[in-house]
Structures are given as structure tokens and as C-alpha cells.
Amino acid sequence: MHIEKEILNKVNEWLTPTFDMTTQEAIKELMTSSPKELEDSFYKNLEFGTGGMRGVMGVGTNRINQYTLGKNTQGLSNYLKKVFAGEEIKVAIAYDCRHNSDTLAKVVANVFSANGIKVYLFSELRPTPELSFAVRELGCHTGIVLTASHNPPEYNGYKVYWKDGGQLVPPQDSEVIQVIESLEYSDILFEPNESLIEYIDSTIDEAFFKSTIANASFNTPQSAKDNLKIVYTSLHGTSIKAVPQVLEMAGYNDLHIVTEQAIPDGNFPTVKSPNPEEPEALEMAIALAEKTNADIVIGTDPDSDRLGIAVRDMDGKIKLLNGNQSMVIMTAFLLEKWKRNGKLTGNEFIGSTIVSTPMMLELAAAYDVECKVGLTGFKWIAKFIKDFPQQQFIGGGEESFGFMVGDAVRDKDAVGAILLICEIAAQAKAAGSSLFKELLHLYMDFGFYKEDLISITKKGIDGANEIKQMMITLRENPLKEINGQRVVCIEDYQLSKGKDLMNNVIFDINIPKSNVLIYYLEDGTKICARPSGTEPKIKFYFSVNTELNAINDFAKTEEFLNTKIKNIIAEMQLN
């Protein structure tokens, strides 16, 4: 096959003595056995997306390896020494259960230390939210976690946190990338200064656990805790290092762990995908819940920032909640607790994202608090906390099964969210209600919002071009009517412009630019198109709503909304 000259130039660079013999031999093998894979390995450089940098492990500029991570770390080191000149620069590093995460974390630690930077390295795998916590707890200037979240086993990744504990955001992100791109691979300092690398574990664990309990506990009586039966699975990931310990310290003793999934394993052998967004991922946990007659099922992704929840419906059957449903339950509970405790002064806010349920706006309005809405990714919610220190952050979430309670952790945090949802479930059960019944009451009070998501995977160069063309088509030939409803507004976050089609008014969008399009229909339907920043996918988000007049009307009302979403998907030819 023909390979572009620019790609071949990159390949030849990697065949020089700057790169070790193992790398060079792997490239030579690809040249003869798999030219297509060689092309995919070098046709671009890995980029920072909504969740940092993720990619398939292997050789090449478009792969996760010691050189791509080493170059990132060298660039970040140079940037830190420029921005914090004269200070003792400190960095915290954590890693998850994925293949090579521990060795890649040590490579990153080596490069930082070679540049004279003090490194705090977790001695074993730890949850991502604990790394965010550790950055502030240790007074670090930055933090790194080696993880690919819920991606398949062949992936790994590199997430960068700033001194506030939140992920890298503008302007630092583009400035760091500029420094990285100015480097040659030969500029990387790999030889460590071991005296600058300090291993951390139990001291930070204890502080993280205590902070979680302080933030996510709400005076639940011990009798209510004793009466809540919980099933939990870590899906072979890092949350096993924190969740059982936090729940026990908080007084939840009736905990049943899915033992087959409790051992960290980067192969994720018992699931097709270690993603709690996928119903299949919680099958073993749900089976255990049926066996033990549990009230609630909880599962986390490999780095323990997302959580999936299943509860018993009005008929006692276990039902999976989606991320929007979990988010509104937790947010409504927090708002009500803050109100009852007299803590709402009009200077508080909750956080959400442009692709999440509009129901968050309804909740905020009802409690007279602001709902700050940002781009996809929790780094934008963390940025709100940093940018508005005069306001107090209550909690916030996004549709992709992430939630954050308070501001001690500045990223989505399954550990704190699990304790919070157990508090809500225990108090509801003690009051003769349930999590599901509480959700239905919210629908009756604020409107029944139903969301769905379609992800279309397009791999490689051709796939990237297909995704690009889909967005071009949606922009250049915007839909005027969908499922019999007029499009009344279109927001284009790449242009930072919106258009009110009913009044022919163009308005500015004061959110950082992003390749996102949102259509609003006259019946309140919202449709969003967004290429993923970390996976070869384009995602379409759907939100529809109507009134729920009575609990007994739930099933038929849900079917009405499901049918509406199906009709929209069919008309847009996305199925």
C-alpha cells in the first residue's frame, strides 16, 4: 500500500538511535507485516481531548508509549519551570489497573525527577479522584494519572491536573501543548534522580477517606445504614482500593462485593467493556443483588471516576439508572439538604454540561441557585470552581455517569458519589420510600426528562474523515424540521454562535469553542452532535420531556418518550 511521505519521515525518525532497539524492531515488524497499522501508528500525534490523552498502546506518534508520554512530560516539565521559576516544583502521580500503567507511571516520574522536579508517586494503583485530592493535599503544582478510563484493554492514557486539582484547561492546555510540540524526542531526559521520587500511599488514603466522608455524609441514622443492602463491583479496577473502606468507615456494613471482579486486571476478563454506562457491565452485580435481595447495585469504571447505579423499581425489579437520572437524584438531594440546613444564601451553584439533561436547570431555578453549564468533561466544572471562588459549589454532574460532591476533589468522583447515593437510598428506605420513587417524584415536580445517546464508531484515517464530513453536513445543511417539530434554535459551539430561527436573531455563546452542534425543537426536544475527544466516535445526544401527572402513569409516559426518541433517530437515519 502507498504511505504518505510525511508519515514515512516520522517512521524513519523512530528508526534512529534516539529510540531503543525494542521500539525499532517493532516498527520494522509493522513495516513488513502490517503497513496499514504502521500508517495508523504514525499518521498523527496523539492529542489532548476532553479527558486528557488516550490511545492504543504501541510504537509510533499516535500510540501510548514511553516516548510519547516522555515527550509530554518533558514539555510539561519545561513549562512548569518557566511558570513557577524559583519555586520547588512538586508533582503527584497515580495510575490504574491497565497493562503497563505502573511502568509508564515510573517513566513519567523518571522524566520529572530528571528535570529536578519533586515527585510523589503512589506505590500502587489508586482511583483517579484520589490523585485530584492529592494534588491539593500535598501542595503540588500539577498531577498526572495514567488511565484510559473505560476504553478497551489495549488503551492507556495520560491525564494532566493543575495545582487546583482540576484537569488542565485554557490557557494552560494550549500553552503546554505548544511547548511539547516544539520538542524533539532527543530532548527527553529519561535518566531519573531517584532522590526526588517519594512513594506515597496510606497517609493520603486516610486523608482522602476522611474528606470523602465529611463531604458526602448527611446525618443518616445508623439504623438506616444497617438496613441498606448494597452490592458493589469495581469491574477489575481501582475503586476496590477506596470504596469498601469508605463505606465501612461511614457505617455501611451490609456490603456484598462481586468477588470475581474485585481483583484489578487490565484484561477486564468478565466484561466486554469495563464501562458502567453499558448494562452488560453490571450483569454479575445484578445477579448477586437478586441472590441477596439487595436494595442497590453500584459499579465503577477502571479509574473510579464514573459510577453505574441500579435500583429496584415500583414492582421490585432491578432497573438501571442512566447518568442523567443519577445526577438529578443526587443534585436534588444536595439542594434540599442545603435548603433545610439554611445554607442557601443565593451565592451557590451547581454544575452541568451542554449535553446533559436540561432538568438540572429546572432544579437550580427551583432552589434559586445558579446552574453553570460548560462543555463536556469535568474539567470545565472544576474550572467554574476556580474561576468563581466567591461562589460556593454544591455538586454537579454530567450524563456520562460522573458526579462530584463539593470541591475537595476537582474531578468526577465515584468514591464520593457512591457514599452520597447510599446516604440517599438509606434515608429514602427508612422513610418508606426508595431511590426510584424519589426519582418519580422529581419527574412529577420538575417534568419527566428522558435522555438517550447513540455512539457511532469510525476508526482510523477514513473514519476520522467520515466524522468530519458528518459535522460539515449538519452545519452546511441544517435540519429545519425533525419528527414533525420545527427546529427553533441552533447552537454552534465551534463558531461560538447561536441562531434563534423563530426571530431570525444571531447571538453569542460565551463558552470555549468546541466541535459541537445543538438543535432545539419547538416541543422542548434537544439534539446534540459531538465528535468524541478521546475515542474514534461521533456521539448524538437526545433529550425529550413531558409532564408526569401520577406515579402510576410512569410506564406509559416513558414509552411515549422512548417512541419519540426512536422516531427522531430513524428520521435522522442514525440507526
Side-chain angles (χ1 to χ4, degrees), residues 170-198:
Q172 285 84 15
D173 55 358
S174 59
E175 293 171 355
V176 169
I177 290 168
Q178 284 180 6
V179 177
I180 293 169
E181 290 179 345
S182 71
L183 296 175
E184 302 293 335
Y185 287 100
S186 56
D187 295 328
I188 305 169
L189 303 179
F190 280 115
E191 196 62 38
N193 180 348
E194 295 290 353
S195 67
L196 289 176
I197 301 175
E198 180 180 338

mmCIF file of all heavy atoms in Angstrom, residues 170-198:
data_model
loop_
_atom_site.group_PDB
_atom_site.id
_atom_site.type_symbol
_atom_site.label_atom_id
_atom_site.label_comp_id
_atom_site.label_asym_id
_atom_site.label_seq_id
_atom_site.Cartn_x
_atom_site.Cartn_y
_atom_site.Cartn_z
ATOM 1 N N PRO A 170 -7.829 25.785 29.428
ATOM 2 C CA PRO A 170 -7.232 27.012 28.907
ATOM 3 C C PRO A 170 -6.928 28.001 30.035
ATOM 4 O O PRO A 170 -7.670 28.072 31.008
ATOM 5 C CB PRO A 170 -8.326 27.566 27.986
ATOM 6 C CG PRO A 170 -9.140 26.372 27.599
ATOM 7 C CD PRO A 170 -9.127 25.486 28.806
ATOM 8 N N PRO A 171 -5.845 28.787 29.901
ATOM 9 C CA PRO A 171 -4.923 28.808 28.754
ATOM 10 C C PRO A 171 -3.772 27.814 28.879
ATOM 11 O O PRO A 171 -2.992 27.656 27.954
ATOM 12 C CB PRO A 171 -4.398 30.242 28.787
ATOM 13 C CG PRO A 171 -4.348 30.575 30.256
ATOM 14 C CD PRO A 171 -5.555 29.892 30.855
ATOM 15 N N GLN A 172 -3.671 27.158 30.067
ATOM 16 C CA GLN A 172 -2.512 26.290 30.288
ATOM 17 C C GLN A 172 -2.419 25.153 29.275
ATOM 18 O O GLN A 172 -1.329 24.781 28.843
ATOM 19 C CB GLN A 172 -2.536 25.706 31.704
ATOM 20 C CG GLN A 172 -2.155 26.681 32.799
ATOM 21 C CD GLN A 172 -3.315 27.514 33.247
ATOM 22 O OE1 GLN A 172 -4.464 27.202 32.951
ATOM 23 N NE2 GLN A 172 -3.037 28.600 33.967
ATOM 24 N N ASP A 173 -3.579 24.593 28.873
ATOM 25 C CA ASP A 173 -3.521 23.419 27.998
ATOM 26 C C ASP A 173 -2.841 23.730 26.670
ATOM 27 O O ASP A 173 -1.930 23.019 26.234
ATOM 28 C CB ASP A 173 -4.920 22.821 27.794
ATOM 29 C CG ASP A 173 -5.952 23.806 27.274
ATOM 30 O OD1 ASP A 173 -5.625 24.999 27.091
ATOM 31 O OD2 ASP A 173 -7.099 23.376 27.034
ATOM 32 N N SER A 174 -3.254 24.816 26.008
ATOM 33 C CA SER A 174 -2.652 25.149 24.717
ATOM 34 C C SER A 174 -1.197 25.577 24.867
ATOM 35 O O SER A 174 -0.361 25.302 24.000
ATOM 36 C CB SER A 174 -3.460 26.243 24.016
ATOM 37 O OG SER A 174 -3.520 27.407 24.811
ATOM 38 N N GLU A 175 -0.883 26.244 25.974
ATOM 39 C CA GLU A 175 0.500 26.659 26.214
ATOM 40 C C GLU A 175 1.412 25.456 26.420
ATOM 41 O O GLU A 175 2.538 25.419 25.900
ATOM 42 C CB GLU A 175 0.557 27.591 27.428
ATOM 43 C CG GLU A 175 -0.127 28.937 27.194
ATOM 44 C CD GLU A 175 -0.269 29.776 28.447
ATOM 45 O OE1 GLU A 175 0.083 29.271 29.536
ATOM 46 O OE2 GLU A 175 -0.755 30.916 28.354
ATOM 47 N N VAL A 176 0.933 24.463 27.176
ATOM 48 C CA VAL A 176 1.713 23.242 27.390
ATOM 49 C C VAL A 176 1.906 22.497 26.071
ATOM 50 O O VAL A 176 3.007 22.019 25.755
ATOM 51 C CB VAL A 176 1.034 22.331 28.436
ATOM 52 C CG1 VAL A 176 1.681 20.946 28.461
ATOM 53 C CG2 VAL A 176 1.088 22.962 29.814
ATOM 54 N N ILE A 177 0.837 22.398 25.292
ATOM 55 C CA ILE A 177 0.923 21.693 24.004
ATOM 56 C C ILE A 177 1.936 22.365 23.079
ATOM 57 O O ILE A 177 2.701 21.679 22.387
ATOM 58 C CB ILE A 177 -0.475 21.627 23.351
ATOM 59 C CG1 ILE A 177 -1.381 20.679 24.143
ATOM 60 C CG2 ILE A 177 -0.368 21.152 21.899
ATOM 61 C CD1 ILE A 177 -2.845 20.749 23.762
ATOM 62 N N GLN A 178 1.969 23.685 23.085
ATOM 63 C CA GLN A 178 2.949 24.397 22.252
ATOM 64 C C GLN A 178 4.375 24.025 22.643
ATOM 65 O O GLN A 178 5.233 23.823 21.779
ATOM 66 C CB GLN A 178 2.751 25.908 22.386
ATOM 67 C CG GLN A 178 1.548 26.441 21.626
ATOM 68 C CD GLN A 178 1.387 27.945 21.789
ATOM 69 O OE1 GLN A 178 2.227 28.604 22.382
ATOM 70 N NE2 GLN A 178 0.284 28.472 21.276
ATOM 71 N N VAL A 179 4.624 23.931 23.938
ATOM 72 C CA VAL A 179 5.964 23.558 24.408
ATOM 73 C C VAL A 179 6.286 22.129 23.993
ATOM 74 O O VAL A 179 7.387 21.842 23.504
ATOM 75 C CB VAL A 179 6.075 23.715 25.940
ATOM 76 C CG1 VAL A 179 7.441 23.245 26.424
ATOM 77 C CG2 VAL A 179 5.839 25.161 26.356
ATOM 78 N N ILE A 180 5.318 21.229 24.158
ATOM 79 C CA ILE A 180 5.526 19.821 23.786
ATOM 80 C C ILE A 180 5.856 19.708 22.299
ATOM 81 O O ILE A 180 6.798 19.005 21.903
ATOM 82 C CB ILE A 180 4.282 18.971 24.128
ATOM 83 C CG1 ILE A 180 4.095 18.881 25.647
ATOM 84 C CG2 ILE A 180 4.397 17.569 23.526
ATOM 85 C CD1 ILE A 180 2.759 18.292 26.066
ATOM 86 N N GLU A 181 5.081 20.405 21.475
ATOM 87 C CA GLU A 181 5.264 20.291 20.028
ATOM 88 C C GLU A 181 6.570 20.918 19.546
ATOM 89 O O GLU A 181 7.041 20.613 18.451
ATOM 90 C CB GLU A 181 4.074 20.928 19.305
ATOM 91 C CG GLU A 181 2.783 20.124 19.468
ATOM 92 C CD GLU A 181 1.585 20.744 18.785
ATOM 93 O OE1 GLU A 181 1.676 21.949 18.415
ATOM 94 O OE2 GLU A 181 0.558 20.052 18.631
ATOM 95 N N SER A 182 7.178 21.772 20.374
ATOM 96 C CA SER A 182 8.452 22.388 19.988
ATOM 97 C C SER A 182 9.644 21.477 20.271
ATOM 98 O O SER A 182 10.763 21.770 19.849
ATOM 99 C CB SER A 182 8.638 23.716 20.749
ATOM 100 O OG SER A 182 8.899 23.475 22.125
ATOM 101 N N LEU A 183 9.392 20.366 20.965
ATOM 102 C CA LEU A 183 10.479 19.472 21.380
ATOM 103 C C LEU A 183 10.768 18.395 20.345
ATOM 104 O O LEU A 183 9.888 17.986 19.583
ATOM 105 C CB LEU A 183 10.122 18.793 22.705
ATOM 106 C CG LEU A 183 9.967 19.680 23.949
ATOM 107 C CD1 LEU A 183 9.491 18.833 25.121
ATOM 108 C CD2 LEU A 183 11.274 20.375 24.287
ATOM 109 N N GLU A 184 11.994 17.917 20.379
ATOM 110 C CA GLU A 184 12.377 16.706 19.668
ATOM 111 C C GLU A 184 12.400 15.564 20.675
ATOM 112 O O GLU A 184 12.578 15.783 21.883
ATOM 113 C CB GLU A 184 13.769 16.869 19.028
ATOM 114 C CG GLU A 184 13.892 18.035 18.065
ATOM 115 C CD GLU A 184 13.053 17.851 16.814
ATOM 116 O OE1 GLU A 184 12.758 16.690 16.459
ATOM 117 O OE2 GLU A 184 12.681 18.876 16.197
ATOM 118 N N TYR A 185 12.241 14.340 20.182
ATOM 119 C CA TYR A 185 12.297 13.195 21.105
ATOM 120 C C TYR A 185 13.656 13.086 21.780
ATOM 121 O O TYR A 185 13.767 12.594 22.908
ATOM 122 C CB TYR A 185 11.950 11.906 20.367
ATOM 123 C CG TYR A 185 10.477 11.783 20.038
ATOM 124 C CD1 TYR A 185 9.993 12.084 18.763
ATOM 125 C CD2 TYR A 185 9.559 11.404 21.015
ATOM 126 C CE1 TYR A 185 8.642 11.992 18.459
ATOM 127 C CE2 TYR A 185 8.204 11.309 20.726
ATOM 128 C CZ TYR A 185 7.742 11.604 19.455
ATOM 129 O OH TYR A 185 6.404 11.527 19.176
ATOM 130 N N SER A 186 14.689 13.570 21.117
ATOM 131 C CA SER A 186 16.034 13.528 21.696
ATOM 132 C C SER A 186 16.184 14.488 22.877
ATOM 133 O O SER A 186 17.170 14.412 23.627
ATOM 134 C CB SER A 186 17.079 13.869 20.623
ATOM 135 O OG SER A 186 16.803 15.136 20.039
ATOM 136 N N ASP A 187 15.206 15.402 23.068
ATOM 137 C CA ASP A 187 15.255 16.348 24.186
ATOM 138 C C ASP A 187 14.793 15.729 25.494
ATOM 139 O O ASP A 187 14.964 16.340 26.558
ATOM 140 C CB ASP A 187 14.372 17.571 23.885
ATOM 141 C CG ASP A 187 14.861 18.390 22.707
ATOM 142 O OD1 ASP A 187 16.091 18.435 22.493
ATOM 143 O OD2 ASP A 187 14.026 18.981 21.993
ATOM 144 N N ILE A 188 14.185 14.557 25.451
ATOM 145 C CA ILE A 188 13.610 13.950 26.662
ATOM 146 C C ILE A 188 14.728 13.488 27.602
ATOM 147 O O ILE A 188 15.646 12.774 27.193
ATOM 148 C CB ILE A 188 12.710 12.751 26.313
ATOM 149 C CG1 ILE A 188 11.621 13.152 25.316
ATOM 150 C CG2 ILE A 188 12.073 12.179 27.586
ATOM 151 C CD1 ILE A 188 10.872 11.963 24.725
ATOM 152 N N LEU A 189 14.606 13.885 28.865
ATOM 153 C CA LEU A 189 15.538 13.425 29.901
ATOM 154 C C LEU A 189 14.917 12.228 30.615
ATOM 155 O O LEU A 189 13.992 12.380 31.406
ATOM 156 C CB LEU A 189 15.823 14.554 30.896
ATOM 157 C CG LEU A 189 16.392 15.860 30.321
ATOM 158 C CD1 LEU A 189 16.601 16.883 31.437
ATOM 159 C CD2 LEU A 189 17.681 15.608 29.565
ATOM 160 N N PHE A 190 15.423 11.056 30.305
ATOM 161 C CA PHE A 190 14.833 9.831 30.871
ATOM 162 C C PHE A 190 15.540 9.356 32.147
ATOM 163 O O PHE A 190 14.987 8.561 32.893
ATOM 164 C CB PHE A 190 14.891 8.690 29.845
ATOM 165 C CG PHE A 190 13.802 8.730 28.805
ATOM 166 C CD1 PHE A 190 14.098 8.943 27.469
ATOM 167 C CD2 PHE A 190 12.470 8.540 29.159
ATOM 168 C CE1 PHE A 190 13.101 8.965 26.499
ATOM 169 C CE2 PHE A 190 11.461 8.557 28.197
ATOM 170 C CZ PHE A 190 11.775 8.778 26.870
ATOM 171 N N GLU A 191 16.781 9.797 32.381
ATOM 172 C CA GLU A 191 17.575 9.264 33.494
ATOM 173 C C GLU A 191 17.088 9.864 34.806
ATOM 174 O O GLU A 191 17.188 11.077 35.032
ATOM 175 C CB GLU A 191 19.058 9.588 33.285
ATOM 176 C CG GLU A 191 19.996 8.772 34.142
ATOM 177 C CD GLU A 191 19.911 7.276 33.865
ATOM 178 O OE1 GLU A 191 19.752 6.892 32.691
ATOM 179 O OE2 GLU A 191 19.968 6.488 34.839
ATOM 180 N N PRO A 192 16.558 9.049 35.726
ATOM 181 C CA PRO A 192 15.900 9.598 36.917
ATOM 182 C C PRO A 192 16.886 10.094 37.981
ATOM 183 O O PRO A 192 18.025 9.647 38.057
ATOM 184 C CB PRO A 192 15.101 8.407 37.451
ATOM 185 C CG PRO A 192 15.889 7.212 37.027
ATOM 186 C CD PRO A 192 16.452 7.579 35.675
ATOM 187 N N ASN A 193 16.372 11.009 38.787
ATOM 188 C CA ASN A 193 17.012 11.375 40.048
ATOM 189 C C ASN A 193 16.165 10.754 41.148
ATOM 190 O O ASN A 193 15.170 11.341 41.585
ATOM 191 C CB ASN A 193 17.088 12.893 40.190
ATOM 192 C CG ASN A 193 17.757 13.329 41.485
ATOM 193 O OD1 ASN A 193 17.969 12.528 42.391
ATOM 194 N ND2 ASN A 193 18.085 14.610 41.572
ATOM 195 N N GLU A 194 16.529 9.539 41.549
ATOM 196 C CA GLU A 194 15.680 8.767 42.468
ATOM 197 C C GLU A 194 15.467 9.485 43.799
ATOM 198 O O GLU A 194 14.461 9.256 44.474
ATOM 199 C CB GLU A 194 16.285 7.384 42.712
ATOM 200 C CG GLU A 194 16.327 6.484 41.481
ATOM 201 C CD GLU A 194 14.952 5.998 41.027
ATOM 202 O OE1 GLU A 194 13.959 6.245 41.755
ATOM 203 O OE2 GLU A 194 14.875 5.366 39.949
ATOM 204 N N SER A 195 16.381 10.366 44.175
ATOM 205 C CA SER A 195 16.239 11.067 45.455
ATOM 206 C C SER A 195 15.046 12.028 45.443
ATOM 207 O O SER A 195 14.584 12.457 46.511
ATOM 208 C CB SER A 195 17.519 11.846 45.777
ATOM 209 O OG SER A 195 17.709 12.919 44.862
ATOM 210 N N LEU A 196 14.559 12.358 44.257
ATOM 211 C CA LEU A 196 13.410 13.258 44.148
ATOM 212 C C LEU A 196 12.081 12.519 44.024
ATOM 213 O O LEU A 196 11.036 13.152 43.915
ATOM 214 C CB LEU A 196 13.585 14.186 42.941
ATOM 215 C CG LEU A 196 14.668 15.265 43.058
ATOM 216 C CD1 LEU A 196 14.793 16.044 41.752
ATOM 217 C CD2 LEU A 196 14.368 16.210 44.219
ATOM 218 N N ILE A 197 12.124 11.181 44.021
ATOM 219 C CA ILE A 197 10.893 10.384 43.890
ATOM 220 C C ILE A 197 10.523 9.802 45.249
ATOM 221 O O ILE A 197 11.272 9.006 45.817
ATOM 222 C CB ILE A 197 11.060 9.263 42.850
ATOM 223 C CG1 ILE A 197 11.415 9.847 41.478
ATOM 224 C CG2 ILE A 197 9.778 8.433 42.761
ATOM 225 C CD1 ILE A 197 11.705 8.799 40.419
ATOM 226 N N GLU A 198 9.369 10.212 45.777
ATOM 227 C CA GLU A 198 8.884 9.731 47.068
ATOM 228 C C GLU A 198 7.592 8.955 46.863
ATOM 229 O O GLU A 198 6.668 9.442 46.223
ATOM 230 C CB GLU A 198 8.639 10.912 48.017
ATOM 231 C CG GLU A 198 8.129 10.507 49.385
ATOM 232 C CD GLU A 198 7.903 11.705 50.300
ATOM 233 O OE1 GLU A 198 8.502 12.773 50.049
ATOM 234 O OE2 GLU A 198 7.116 11.571 51.263
#
